[in-house]
Amino acid sequence: MALHFQTVKIRNILLSALSPEEFDFFAQHMEAIDLPRGFDLSYANVDPAFCYFLESGIGSIVARSPEGNQAEVGLFGFDGMTPTSLVLDSGPPSHSVFMQVAGHGYRISTERLAQVIDDLPPLRRILLRYAHTLAIQTAGTALSNAVHTVDERLARWILMCHDRTDGNSIELTHEFLAIMLAVRRASVTTSLHVLEGNRLIEARRGVIMVRNRQALEEFAGDAYGYPEREYQRLIGPMNAILAMAD
């Protein structure tokens, strides 16, 4: 069944940037899909069958070494799509992508998206801009891993998840946090205690509650902010979409 701009409330920032006519043309090729936690959106070095545009939830982009070591190199929610390799015409994605926090969204076959991109220059422009902002975020992760403490990196990562979540509760386990930060679970527990001790968050089993967003940003310092400002400059603010959905 075709989706129509007039009847569907779109939260995905990239899709909402299209005009009603452009969206209706694109939407006839999309289908809605539930995305449970752990759902694989794409695999490294494998041609994907579909591209996904999230409406809610959080997708995690994970790099893995030949020996099996892994770390998160990027994340996205209703601000993005995956995989961007199709937009860049660069072949199969280099990293695996899975749902870290359950949600829902839309998918379109990669073959169809390639055709629609050729027919819709505004879509190509916004997707190329998004691919650029994701590269900036990935570079920011590499920099943060090199120069910031685990406590600051955890604060940054919680802020990034909070940007893409309704409300102040984020469903995250210690296991996921350890993978995302590329540290031992014991280090995650210690850093969570530091943030709790500063009354920035409250950590429960499988859930993190943000208590003081402004203070959490101050704690993260320059670990957080630059990629977000670039996204706003090139595409638009994420908080405006959240407010529209309330």
Side-chain angles (χ1 to χ4, degrees):
M1 179 181 296
L3 304 168
H4 295 282
F5 189 89
Q6 292 83 356
T7 59
V8 177
K9 196 169 188 179
I10 297 298
R11 302 182 71 221
N12 184 277
I13 295 176
L14 306 180
L15 296 181
S16 65
L18 300 175
S19 72
E21 295 75 21
E22 292 163 347
F23 177 83
D24 277 346
F25 177 78
F26 184 42
Q28 63 183 308
H29 306 292
M30 296 193 305
E31 62 177 330
I33 182 173
D34 288 327
L35 300 168
R37 175 186 284 184
F39 182 89
D40 290 309
L41 299 171
S42 61
Y43 301 94
N45 305 312
V46 176
D47 286 318
F50 296 96
C51 289
Y52 297 84
F53 292 79
L54 269 58
E55 288 280 285
S56 65
I58 297 175
S60 180
I61 305 167
V62 176
R64 292 184 174 90
S65 73
E67 292 76 23
N69 297 312
Q70 58 185 349
E72 182 182 75
V73 296
L75 62 82
F76 65 99
F78 58 84
D79 58 308
M81 56 81 67
T82 193
T84 57
S85 57
L86 178 67
V87 181
L88 299 171
D89 193 23
S90 58
S94 302
H95 308 302
S96 298
V97 185
F98 71 98
M99 291 300 294
Q100 178 190 123
V101 176
H104 72 280
Y106 300 106
R107 73 178 184 180
I108 180 173
S109 73
T110 52
E111 181 180 358
R112 181 64 67 183
L113 181 59
Q115 295 171 350
V116 174
I117 285 176
D118 287 337
D119 294 332
L120 279 181
L123 178 64
R124 175 188 294 276
R125 184 166 53 252
I126 194 72
L127 294 186
L128 285 173
R129 287 190 172 196
Y130 172 67
H132 177 66
T133 64
L134 188 60
I136 293 173
Q137 183 198 118
T138 300
T141 297
L143 175 63
S144 188
N145 289 346
V147 303
H148 296 121
T149 67
V150 175
D151 300 345
E152 291 167 332
R153 288 164 53 201
L154 178 59
R156 170 185 182 263
W157 193 75
I158 292 173
L159 286 165
M160 292 171 65
C161 290
H162 191 236
D163 287 338
R164 296 160 174 85
T165 304
D166 293 325
N168 293 317
S169 297
I170 310 170
E171 295 183 7
L172 300 169
T173 65
H174 284 208
E175 180 181 3
F176 270 126
L177 288 166
I179 293 173
M180 298 312 105
L181 298 173
V183 297
R184 295 178 298 109
R185 289 184 62 176
S187 298
V188 170
T189 300
T190 299
S191 292
L192 286 171
H193 288 162
V194 170
L195 299 187
E196 282 191 296
N198 284 279
R199 301 182 180 276
L200 307 177
I201 66 166
E202 181 179 346
R204 305 171 185 169
R205 181 180 294 273
V207 176
I208 292 177
M209 174 79 71
V210 176
R211 298 183 60 185
N212 190 329
R213 166 81 192 207
Q214 181 177 348
L216 189 61
E217 289 188 23
E218 293 172 357
F219 184 93
D222 67 355
Y224 173 85
Y226 178 71
E228 289 71 26
R229 289 191 295 272
E230 282 297 281
Y231 185 97
Q232 178 167 333
R233 181 179 71 85
L234 292 170
I235 299 176
M238 284 188 283
N239 56 4
I241 300 298
L242 283 175
M244 183 181 72
D246 291 339

